[in-house]
Amino acid sequence: MEEGIEGSPSYPTTRDASADWSSGAPHGALSFHRNTKDPWSNDLPFIVGDVESCIVYAPLGVPQRVLGESLTPQEAAAWVVVHLPSDCGPAFDGPWPPPENIID
């Protein structure tokens, strides 16, 4: 998937995610989280597929699960960005849910 995702660095929210697919192992799925430690947020869209065709799914609990299908990896990455919640920012260090008062 590395060759398919390399176009996504123009999307800041997916820039570091390409490392997940570049290890050479056939992962088949790329998920995104708001935090850096288990348990994960699991409230963002995710991609399932390969270098030729991908499906973008909404997180569990969303009525319309398939957000896009038969997409190239670049289209899938863009589709995830379009469907990120408006309050989605950089991941915070720690488990989900976030602490009530995050102080910089």
Side-chain angles (χ1 to χ4, degrees):
M1 192 72 184
E2 179 179 11
E3 65 196 58
I5 280 294
E6 69 186 34
S8 67
S10 61
Y11 300 101
T13 55
T14 63
R15 183 173 297 137
D16 296 326
S18 61
D20 291 346
W21 284 19
S22 63
S23 67
H27 298 289
L30 179 61
S31 58
F32 303 91
H33 305 284
R34 295 179 188 239
N35 58 306
T36 61
K37 296 182 179 139
D38 188 33
W40 309 109
S41 62
N42 293 319
D43 68 335
L44 301 176
F46 62 96
I47 302 169
V48 175
D50 56 33
V51 296
E52 299 199 9
S53 182
C54 298
I55 300 171
V56 176
Y57 289 96
L60 292 173
V62 175
Q64 181 186 349
R65 288 301 312 278
V66 176
L67 300 175
E69 53 190 322
S70 300
L71 302 169
T72 66
Q74 293 88 351
E75 292 169 335
W79 207 238
V80 166
V81 171
V82 167
H83 286 89
L84 289 175
S86 60
D87 66 344
C88 189
F92 68 89
D93 186 31
W96 188 261
E100 292 203 23
N101 295 315
I102 298 177
I103 300 173
D104 295 299

